[in-house]
Every structure is written in C-alpha cells, then in structure tokens.
Amino acid sequence: MATTDEPVAQQHDVEPVNRRDKQQPLYAARKKIHPKRAEGTFRRFKWLVMAVTLGIYYITPWIRWDRGDFAPDQAVLIDLVNRRFYFFFIEIWPQEFYYVAGMLVMAGIGLFLVTSSVGRAWCGYTCPQTVWVDLFLVIERAVEGERNKRIKLDKEPWSASKIGKRTLKHAIWVLIALSTGGAWIFYFADAPQLAMNFISGEAPGVAYSTVAVLAFTTYTLGGLMREQVCTYMCPWPRIQGAMLDEHSLTVTYNNWRGEPRSRHQKRSQEEGKPIGDCVDCNACVAVCPMGIDIRDGQQLECITCALCIDACDAVMDKVGHERGLISYATLSDYNSNMRMALNEETGRIEPERVRDSDRKLSSAVKHTTIKSVFRPRTLAYFSVWALIGLAMSYHVATRGRLDLNILHDRNPLFVTLSNGDVRNGYTVKVLNMMPEPRTVRVSLSGVPGAVMSLPESSDDPTDVLYLDVEPDKLRNQRIFVRANPAEMPDATMELTFTVQDIFGSERAEYETRFETGGL
Ligand code: SF4
Ligand code: SF4
C-alpha cells in the first residue's frame, strides 16, 4: 500500500499485445486494443497533422485554377483521357514523365532523410493508415466512450443499446470510407461535374467501382484491421532498420532512470530499495495504438507516434519527477546514460548514479536535442534531395512549350519536277503545349534556294509558312520542300526547319535531310 501523502499515478489494467516474456508465434490471433486518448504536445501535433493531411486530401480536387478557355480549371487534375497532369501552374505531358520520376526519387530520398533523422515519423504522423485509424478511433470514442467504457461494452451481452452504438459507429465508418473513395475519383475528372454525374447515376462505371474498392479497403484496413496492417502487411518496418543509425531519434524508454520500476515508490524508498522513476502505471501501454509496451525496448510494432511520451510526461508531472522518462532519444545518448547508471559488478541499474543529491538528473546526463538531426548523413541526404528539387524547378521554369518533330518521306525519297527542281516531302509535327491557340512561322535553312509549300498550294512555293496550332494540341502538317540540285554541293544536304511563335520569342528547331539523288 502506498502511504497517504505519496502522489499516486492512476494504474491501468492493461497488458501489451506482445509481452516479451511470453512465447509468441509468428502470427498471433489479434487481441483487440482499446487505446486511451492521450493528451499532450505530441497528441496536439498529431491532431494538427491529421487535420492538414485530411484537409489536403478532401479539399484539393475542389480548388479551381484559371488556365484560360482551353484548359481545365481544376488546380490538381490527372486527365487520363487527354494524358495530362495539371498541378496548379504546372502542366505535365506524357513525354515529360521524367518529372514524375524525379518526384518519386525525391520522395524516396525524403523518406531516407526523415527516417535517418527522426525514425519512423512517417509511420507515426503522416502515413494514411495512421491518419485514418486515428480518424476511425475518434468516431469510436465519440460513439462508445473512452477506453474503459469500450472494454465494458465489448464484454456486455448484445442489447438494444449495444446494437445501436455498434450500428451507429459502423455507419459513420462506412460514410468516411465512402467519402475517402469518393474524394479519390475527383482527382481524375472535373470534380463538380463528376459529383453531379455520380449522384445522378450518370458517372462512368469505373468511378463507382473505384469508390467501392477504396471504401472497402479504407473500412477494412482503417476500421477493422488497424495495427495489424502495420505489423503484418507493411514492408516499411522491415526496411527502416537499415536506415537508422545510432544518432537517429527514436521513441525510447530511458530505463537508466526508470528502473527498477515500483508502484510504491515512497515505501520502497523508506525501505532503502533502489527505485527508478517508473511507477509502473501502464499509462504508456494504455494509450499506445499498437498495444505494445515501450519499456520492452525497440519493437517492430512501434510506429513512433510518441503518444506514450505524452502519457508518461503527464504521470511524471503528477508524481513530481522530471519529464522525459520516455522521450525521443538517440541510441548513442541512451548508451552513454546507461553506462553511467549501470553497476558493472552487479549488472544492475542504479538510478541514483544519474542523479544529484537533490534527486534531480545529473548534469552529466545526455539529453538528445534537435541538433542530433544535423549530421553528415542527414545533410548529405538533404543536399541530394534539395539539388534534385532545384534542378527540377529550374527545368520546369525554363522548359519550352513549343516542340517540333519532322518525318522525312522515305518512299519516294525525292521526286524530280518538270523544271528540274527536286522535291522532298515531310510530315511536320508542331506541338503547342500552351492552353491557348498559337500561330507559328515555319522557315528553312541549310539548303540554298529551298522553298516550301503545302499540298493544297504546291504550285505556289514560298520561303516562309504560317501554321495555326490549337491549344494543347499537336498539328500534323504535310510540307513539300523544293530546290534546284544544280545549286547544291552534295547529294544529301542538312535541312533545318524552324518554327517560331509569331507573338512570342519561343522557337523550336529540327534538323533533317534533303535528298537530290546526286542529280
Ligand atoms: S510505443 Fe509509444 S511511440 Fe510506439 S507506437 Fe506505442 S505509443 Fe506510439
Ligand atoms: S514508463 Fe511512464 S507511463 Fe509507462 S508505466 Fe512507467 S511511469 Fe507509467
């Protein structure tokens, strides 16, 4: 029994799902977890990240972006029919897929950067599985109550009240799942129009099947399977081990100050027993969405959401100990503190070794700070990531929006006209990547005296042609070029086509051949 004046932390009747001292098969039947709501800095940060990520996902397709009369006004649109990707002022054509590849490379390096700096922060804060599980838990708490009420409800026999609560919870989950799938399809078509068609039953079948599949997976993975997705289905926990090093931040139970744990600290102190700061209240286990006990050390299941830090800090405040018994720490700092606390002769942790006479943590204790994030490895990742980003931004800002491609006729390679001139035929492809109509001036160089004509006016050759090109379109145009072979030094001459926007400075060139057959 604790003495009456001893500050007592609330004890939680909870057991981790993967107790270290129990034999576990590779796949264990699921033990239902009822995470308690945490309060604190990390929980608030998670609410913020959740609001921002969900907001971005649901709202983005409804943002409008004026691109003029000839292009869609949806800010972010994957236009599969016309093979375009619109992202605010950026428009990506299929032949510019390297930008998408570049973004994927950046995402990969970004993940390396984040993991080597702050461990599995992606898993704990921004992974869609984490965000949607959090959202589904909010509904569960709102309908069924906090942890103890939910456990009680689980054990209760079926009654009208239980059926009502379960029906309401699952109905809201299904609505969330449907709106998740629904939001996804709006990225692929004009959102307001598709929404109306969807409701009136006039949307394409693929829209309905996509919503159905995504709603099913959201409901199943986020509502029913929850932590099992992270433990059994996701490859990331297995990969991340290779990216961490001894300076990466991970959520750590500082057993060098926490052990030996004791529920009756004052009594143990009076009995002269060594005591650590852990009051063995299990609050850290009760809030864990993965249902594990961080005091068992680093575990594959831990998504580093840091909710156990919030829970433990609240307990430390209550019992009058310094915060940080569970904290973000590097392995290097942890090892250094552990060396201080460990009695090598007995092999036991003696927490008084890391304390001053006033029971405060010794100034020799290493505290991990944000500075740990800045080290050669993370700076190298950041440099590569930033360089790719800068190179891509520069390329996007300076890329041409006018392109030219030429196919020289192969059969016949040339024809001889009645006046002795030689004529070659070309298929000229002018690509206008602007969302507005353009007129381009076509000119030739490289072949002395060369003139050109369109098939419909082949008797009226000229040295300059004007072509209209529709917005966001490719114009295929047959052009004949003729010249006097007597003026040419070689049987094959290099011929350059140039197109230039008549209202701008943008131009494109293409080099091809002009054949005379040595006449
Ligand atoms: S142990 Fe802590 S950091 Fe890890 S998943 Fe559980 S609550 Fe989150
Ligand atoms: S680590 Fe903190 S929250 Fe967890 S049991 Fe010990 S005192 Fe309680």
Side-chain angles (χ1 to χ4, degrees):
M1 284 270 296
T3 53
T4 47
D5 59 343
E6 181 178 352
V8 180
Q10 185 198 348
Q11 303 293 321
H12 296 270
D13 182 17
V14 59
E15 224 186 52
V17 293
N18 60 350
R19 272 187 66 146
R20 200 169 44 175
D21 54 354
K22 278 194 182 167
Q23 272 291 326
Q24 297 274 335
L26 283 181
Y27 178 84
R30 184 179 184 225
K31 287 185 195 162
K32 193 167 177 191
I33 298 166
H34 302 87
K36 187 174 183 289
R37 182 183 161 127
E39 302 287 349
T41 310
F42 292 103
R43 181 61 267 185
R44 282 194 294 278
F45 182 60
K46 267 174 76 71
W47 288 136
L48 179 69
V49 173
M50 183 181 167
V52 170
T53 48
L54 288 176
I56 289 174
Y57 178 69
Y58 286 116
I59 294 170
T60 299
W62 300 92
I63 302 172
R64 302 291 98 185
W65 190 265
D66 185 10
R67 297 188 182 89
D69 296 337
F70 302 98
D73 65 351
Q74 187 157 312
V76 178
L77 177 68
I78 302 162
D79 185 351
L80 292 177
V81 176
N82 297 304
R83 301 195 297 159
R84 302 276 189 287
F85 171 50
Y86 298 96
F87 186 81
F88 294 90
F89 59 90
I90 300 172
E91 181 187 341
I92 309 271
W93 284 58
Q95 61 266 42
E96 295 174 317
F97 189 77
Y98 47 83
Y99 288 124
V100 179
M103 282 191 276
L104 290 176
V105 171
M106 280 185 75
I109 295 172
L111 215 48
F112 274 54
L113 170 64
V114 169
T115 306
S116 64
S117 311
V118 287
R120 289 173 64 187
W122 161 259
C123 303
Y125 299 95
T126 45
C127 171
Q129 174 67 13
T130 298
V131 172
W132 261 270
V133 167
D134 239 8
L135 181 61
F136 278 42
L137 271 171
V138 169
I139 305 302
E140 189 167 273
R141 278 194 199 105
V143 176
E144 297 181 353
E146 243 312 333
R147 177 184 148 77
N148 290 342
K149 285 190 179 164
R150 299 205 303 274
I151 294 172
K152 196 165 157 245
L153 187 70
D154 266 2
K155 289 180 183 161
E156 275 175 18
W158 285 101
S159 63
S161 157
K162 183 169 175 174
I163 292 171
K165 282 181 180 170
R166 286 282 149 91
T167 308
L168 179 62
K169 177 179 84 172
H170 286 280
I172 299 175
W173 281 3
V174 168
L175 274 181
I176 292 174
L178 282 172
S179 60
T180 304
W184 178 253
I185 60 171
F186 295 144
Y187 284 87
F188 295 85
D190 182 63
Q193 183 63 50
L194 181 58
M196 282 195 291
N197 291 349
F198 194 88
I199 293 165
S200 62
E202 291 164 15
V206 67
Y208 294 101
S209 52
T210 303
V211 171
V213 169
L214 283 177
F216 174 75
T217 48
T218 306
Y219 174 79
T220 308
L221 303 185
L224 306 182
M225 294 181 68
R226 296 188 185 175
E227 77 288 346
Q228 290 200 304
V229 175
C230 311
T231 307
Y232 295 112
M233 291 170 67
C234 179
W236 188 237
R238 281 90 185 157
I239 297 168
Q240 59 130 16
M243 298 180 195
L244 298 175
D245 60 30
E246 70 274 27
H247 300 295
S248 305
L249 296 183
T250 50
V251 174
T252 306
Y253 168 60
N254 294 308
N255 53 352
W256 47 266
R257 61 168 272 201
E259 300 295 326
R261 65 189 76 166
S262 167
R263 293 192 171 189
H264 311 296
Q265 300 241 315
K266 198 147 190 176
R267 191 174 67 189
S268 302
Q269 207 173 3
E270 283 164 3
E271 288 170 0
K273 291 180 186 164
I275 45 161
D277 287 342
C278 178
V279 295
D280 202 15
C281 62
N282 284 338
C284 48
V285 185
V287 297
C288 178
M290 302 299 292
I292 60 170
D293 187 343
I294 190 68
R295 293 172 299 171
D296 288 342
Q298 295 297 323
Q299 294 150 75
L300 176 140
E301 291 92 338
C302 177
I303 56 170
T304 66
C305 64
L307 295 182
C308 52
I309 298 182
D310 279 343
C312 190
D313 278 350
V315 174
M316 292 296 102
D317 288 349
K318 198 167 180 183
V319 298
H321 295 326
E322 289 150 295
R323 288 180 160 210
L325 174 55
I326 302 175
S327 66
Y328 269 108
T330 65
L331 184 61
S332 159
D333 290 343
Y334 169 86
N335 284 341
S336 158
N337 294 332
M338 185 52 110
R339 277 194 294 275
M340 269 177 75
L342 201 65
N343 182 334
E344 284 183 1
E345 283 173 19
T346 62
R348 290 210 183 102
I349 294 170
E350 294 177 0
E352 59 274 17
R353 287 168 161 250
V354 290
R355 299 196 170 281
D356 291 333
S357 51
D358 58 356
R359 268 196 63 79
K360 294 282 178 212
L361 286 175
S362 152
S363 55
V365 163
K366 287 208 168 162
H367 296 280
T368 301
T369 64
I370 194 70
K371 281 188 195 151
S372 311
V373 169
F374 304 101
R375 54 188 206 277
R377 181 177 174 185
T378 54
L379 291 177
Y381 282 145
F382 179 75
S383 305
V384 175
W385 182 84
L387 276 176
I388 296 173
L390 282 175
M392 277 183 34
S393 304
Y394 175 78
H395 200 266
V396 166
T398 58
R399 68 189 168 153
R401 300 280 79 195
L402 185 65
D403 201 14
L404 178 65
N405 203 304
I406 311 269
L407 289 176
H408 185 211
D409 287 359
R410 288 181 173 273
N411 193 14
L413 214 46
F414 62 90
V415 290
T416 307
L417 303 178
S418 55
N419 67 351
D421 282 359
V422 169
R423 192 182 79 184
N424 284 208
Y426 301 89
T427 302
V428 176
K429 295 170 183 245
V430 184
L431 183 59
N432 174 18
M433 291 191 262
M434 293 289 282
E436 57 199 41
R438 291 166 109 178
T439 301
V440 294
R441 178 180 183 274
V442 186
S443 57
L444 302 171
S445 59
V447 174
V451 286
M452 58 191 151
S453 60
L454 302 179
E456 58 270 26
S457 56
S458 55
D459 294 336
D460 189 17
T462 170
D463 50 2
V464 171
L465 279 173
Y466 291 91
L467 298 178
D468 294 327
V469 194
E470 288 180 57
D472 258 352
K473 287 277 185 306
L474 175 78
R475 173 162 178 175
N476 266 307
Q477 179 63 55
R478 294 276 299 146
I479 291 183
F480 295 127
V481 177
R482 65 166 69 173
N484 184 351
E487 294 177 23
M488 279 173 245
D490 300 313
T492 301
M493 299 285 291
E494 282 182 354
L495 174 68
T496 302
F497 278 83
T498 302
V499 290
Q500 174 150 14
D501 185 343
I502 61 167
F503 296 119
S505 57
E506 204 172 358
R507 53 188 273 152
E509 284 185 357
Y510 196 95
E511 201 172 276
T512 180
R513 290 171 296 124
F514 185 84
E515 301 281 354
T516 66
L519 295 173

